[in-house]
Amino acid sequence: MKVNKELLKGNAQTLVLKSLQRQDMYGYQLAQEIKKSSAGAFELTEGTLYPILHALETDGAVECYWEEEGGRKRKYYRLTKAGKGLLKQKTAEWNEFRAALDLVLGGAKLEPEAL
Amino acid sequence: MSAPRIVEFLAIVADQIRSPALRRSTEEELSSHLADSVDDLKGRGVPEEEAVELAVLKLGDPRALGQKIRRANRPNYLRFSFLAVAGLAFGLPAALGGTLLLEQSIRSHLEERSRDKDRYRQAFLEDQKLLSENEFFGRVSPNEHDAGPFLNPKIVWEQSPQQSAPWPELEFSREASKVFWQERRLGRTWLQIDPNRFARVNTAWMSELSRFDHWDLLSGPVNPMNTHVAQGKGPFSVPMPKYNDLNDFVRVRLLQGLGSGKMLPALKDVRQLARLVYTSETLISSMVAVGMLNLERSAYEEALRRNLLRKGEWAPISAELSARARRSLYDFQVWLDLVNAPEQAEAILQAPHAPGGLCGALSELGNSAWFTRSFLEPRVPLESDHSAWLAKLDQLLHHTPGCRLTLAKAYWNSPPHAEEEMAFVFSSDPVQLFWNFGYFYGANIPYLRRVVWFHSLGYTQMRASQYERSLEPGRELSGK
């Protein structure tokens, strides 16, 4: 099931950071990876991906380098220490949000561990 | 990839981006993206022409994409504002975080304005040449007769809990200062004040200065600056002479010359004090010395008007040279080309004229770098270019001809901050938050070292055109 675009919008950055945590990637590779690892639920519009990557680079969360393979130069992105911190923060925010939403939707008791 | 559809798409994206470097790298990045996308589609059996069209469509509207990429390469000003506000409460660390963002915005501007940077560098080098050829700025002191033991115990020290003497001999009385304030409030120039109003101000000590050739602020048996440094306290709070008082003494001495008609001795006394202040080799003292030279020039011109002197009897430092000195001192960061590339820094350092006339600026640079080094070294591994930069600065501090740099070397060769100052920096949670998010990680050091001083936040590549314009005829000069 494809996820509503609005939900994806606020979390695209987290998806990118998480993917880069696993390995350095270039833009096209990242787009394919996000689609694959979400079993097709998330398909980032390629036009959205590059502004996100550039903004993360501007903010110091990722850094980039160029590599040439088969005559084609590709710009790879790598997560920085600041980016790891940001991912940690985003993950914590998401967990908190999800637990609170579960509470509202499912009436579950709020346990400290859920946060 | 050279398919016309792709070339057209990339051209529209590039049109939205002003920075030439960003434009080039974006075109390259998107070109390889499209090539990968086309290959992928062709691998799934899509014909080439259709694959190209699909690949381009998947990237969306090229105009919007270019604009978003352009905006994404600007810093997040909201976050910068937050850091600036946090900086008011928590001082330097937040300011440093803000300077990182500012530096990133400077980086994109630098790429656009490289032509202005070259003009700036040429103007700066020309300033250095003219200053080094001038007798006042370029003269190397023999450093044989130190005014420190004479002056340091007598002056008032600012930022110091104790003074050299309970009643500093060279404290300019409040009563006398009021005279200047009153005249200023009335919109009158100090040159018109009746010197008899300063009858109680003793300026005889100024004639004793002729036997000295430099002034070491650290010398002498009792010295608040020495004590401060020995206690391991930082350069940002080091006690400094109360230069306002010395400036007031200069005005009174010049007024005495105008009042008595004996202008030459007054001008000589002031010139000598300015020279000693300049040789004390701090950035502030260098600026103050330039200000004193401006006061001297104003009094000389007044003396000419009153026929107390003939033209040529005295050679004041010209307004233009004074302005060049002032702006050079203000732009001390450029010495090690903290904004430009290292090879360009090398060009400045290897210019035919050594920057010996700007020892105060070099001292400031050393103090700033010392703070950065002690602040960061225990925490992050230094990038190789930063280590090379520190080595270069070390060489300058120890081997620049004509510069003693006793204060800068005292800090440079000393251990890091005293613990209480470190505690101030790291005790607040928001500061720890910045740290935990790694804002001070190694790759940022080259940018941090460029803007260590809070006031350096104002330094951007716009100084290129401002630097040149500052010497245009008709521009108001400071210090008059």
Side-chain angles (χ1 to χ4, degrees), chain B residues 193-357:
Chain B
I193 301 174
D194 178 0
N196 290 322
R197 295 177 72 179
F198 301 107
R200 286 192 186 178
V201 176
N202 172 27
T203 60
W205 60 275
M206 289 177 73
S207 62
E208 294 189 58
L209 299 179
S210 58
R211 53 194 165 98
F212 305 116
D213 58 25
H214 71 285
W215 181 5
D216 189 335
L217 293 173
L218 283 170
S219 63
V222 179
N223 191 316
M225 184 184 268
N226 245 327
T227 308
H228 184 93
V229 174
Q231 286 174 349
K233 294 181 182 171
F236 295 173
S237 57
V238 71
M240 293 291 277
K242 193 178 174 194
Y243 289 114
N244 278 348
D245 277 5
L246 295 180
N247 272 334
D248 284 344
F249 276 116
V250 162
R251 287 191 183 92
V252 169
R253 185 69 189 97
L254 291 167
L255 283 172
Q256 288 169 343
L258 287 166
S260 66
K262 296 174 187 169
M263 203 56 206
L264 275 178
L267 290 168
K268 282 178 186 167
D269 284 350
V270 166
R271 177 67 66 88
Q272 177 61 4
L273 177 58
R275 176 70 195 157
L276 292 175
V277 168
Y278 195 75
T279 61
S280 61
E281 295 183 350
T282 69
L283 186 65
I284 294 173
S285 66
S286 303
M287 291 282 203
V288 166
V290 172
M292 287 178 175
L293 293 173
N294 290 337
L295 293 174
E296 178 209 294
R297 186 178 61 255
S298 300
Y300 164 77
E301 287 163 359
E302 182 65 18
L304 286 180
R305 270 194 291 275
R306 297 188 197 181
N307 293 318
L308 298 174
L309 277 179
R310 286 187 306 278
K311 211 161 186 177
E313 269 194 277
W314 184 255
I317 304 297
S318 70
E320 185 196 326
L321 199 65
S322 165
R324 286 181 189 273
R326 190 172 177 276
R327 74 181 188 179
S328 291
L329 286 164
Y330 186 73
D331 285 338
F332 67 91
Q333 301 98 319
V334 83
W335 275 31
L336 286 179
D337 220 347
L338 301 180
V339 176
N340 299 316
E343 58 271 15
Q344 292 160 339
E346 209 60 50
I348 290 177
L349 288 170
Q350 287 174 9
H353 36 274

Side-chain angles (χ1 to χ4, degrees), chain A residues 26-28 32 45-47 50-51 54-55 58-60 63 66 72-75 77 80-82 85 89, chain B residues 22 25-26 28-30 32-33 35-37 39-40 58-59 65 68-69 72-75 79 104 437-438 441:
Chain A
Y26 53 93
Y28 184 78
Q32 302 309 305
T45 312
E46 289 165 16
Y50 285 101
H54 281 234
T58 303
D59 289 347
E63 59 193 5
W66 291 88
R72 194 170 290 171
K73 273 180 86 173
R74 294 191 182 94
K75 187 176 177 186
Y77 292 87
T80 63
K81 194 175 167 193
Q89 180 204 335
Chain B
L22 180 60
S25 77
T26 301
E28 187 130 32
E29 186 175 23
L30 293 178
S32 69
H33 174 102
D36 285 334
S37 186
D39 283 352
D40 202 13
K58 279 163 76 174
L59 274 177
L65 177 57
K68 282 181 192 167
I69 287 176
N73 280 275
R74 286 192 210 134
R79 189 191 305 176
Q104 281 158 355
F437 279 16
Y441 77 109

